Amino acid sequence: MDWLRPLAGGDKVNQWLQACTAPRPPKLMQVDWEGAPKNKKMLASVLQYCGSVSGFKLQSIELPFELEDSEVLVEVHAAGVNPIDCRLRSGAMAKECPIITPAVLGLDLSGVVRKIGAKVSNVRVGDAVFGRQTVQRLVEGRNGSYAEWCVVHEDNVALKPTNLTHEQAAAVPTAGLVAWTA
């Protein structure tokens, strides 16, 4: 992945965070949501089969246009990679969390809100946010964060702290939740 770039500086924490996230290549796609045709596509890293990382294939898939009342469409600027992502990809959690392939995995994300459902109240269009997709939604066939756009429930996103980059913020949700509940 030649578009992965190291964070400036020698800070060990920043280097570790960078190894756990993948930033979005600049300006891949601009979408005008008002009046955009329903057949627009986005790039995603699609898991074709469970097993090794060779099961991932970069491909063009349908943009998620329809939102439920409490959902948020996020333009993903960075996606985190966690041990649970690796276990889902490998099939090690197939009994507990049966992922049907092809699938777009990825739990953690950071990006910008581009569209909100009718009852969303905690974020607005244009807000920089970070959060996570749930494993349950992946099992249900919803896309994860390894894509240009991701639809998540409003309860699973929060405003991104201004002192964090998108890459740093994308490394926080799952690891932070695990630490908080430990």
Side-chain angles (χ1 to χ4, degrees):
M1 293 191 184
D2 59 328
W3 47 274
L4 290 177
R5 58 178 171 71
L7 291 174
D11 179 25
K12 296 257 188 234
V13 172
N14 279 345
Q15 291 173 0
W16 179 81
L17 288 174
Q18 181 61 31
C20 296
T21 62
R24 175 191 176 102
K27 301 293 179 193
L28 280 180
M29 179 187 297
Q30 297 297 316
V31 176
D32 173 17
W33 291 104
E34 301 304 318
K38 300 267 189 230
N39 62 351
K40 285 276 192 178
K41 301 280 187 176
M42 68 174 174
L43 286 178
S45 181
V46 180
L47 184 67
Q48 303 297 316
Y49 55 88
C50 290
S52 74
V53 294
S54 63
F56 283 112
K57 180 180 176 187
L58 188 63
Q59 63 187 92
S60 180
I61 65 171
E62 297 292 322
L63 266 169
F65 270 92
E66 303 302 321
L67 297 179
E68 293 177 12
D69 287 346
S70 57
E71 291 182 328
V72 176
L73 176 68
V74 178
E75 177 184 14
V76 178
H77 286 238
V81 180
N82 296 287
I84 192 167
D85 295 309
C86 298
R87 291 179 55 78
L88 288 168
R89 184 249 324 135
S90 71
M93 297 179 66
K95 281 187 179 179
E96 304 89 354
C97 307
I99 301 293
I100 298 171
T101 56
V104 178
L105 300 183
L107 298 179
D108 295 351
L109 60 87
S110 182
V112 177
V113 174
R114 294 300 180 202
K115 192 175 175 184
I116 61 173
K119 295 183 180 176
V120 171
S121 60
N122 66 336
V123 295
R124 297 184 309 237
V125 172
D127 284 346
V129 296
F130 72 120
R132 62 191 304 268
Q133 184 63 286
T134 64
V135 173
Q136 182 59 41
R137 287 170 63 97
L138 293 179
V139 169
E140 293 168 359
R142 304 299 294 264
N143 287 343
S145 62
Y146 297 169
E148 291 183 276
W149 307 87
C150 186
V151 175
V152 296
H153 192 277
E154 73 168 317
D155 292 343
N156 293 321
V157 294
L159 295 176
K160 180 183 78 64
T162 57
N163 62 333
L164 293 181
T165 65
H166 283 292
E167 291 88 353
Q168 291 168 328
V172 171
T174 297
L177 183 62
V178 168
W180 184 62
T181 59

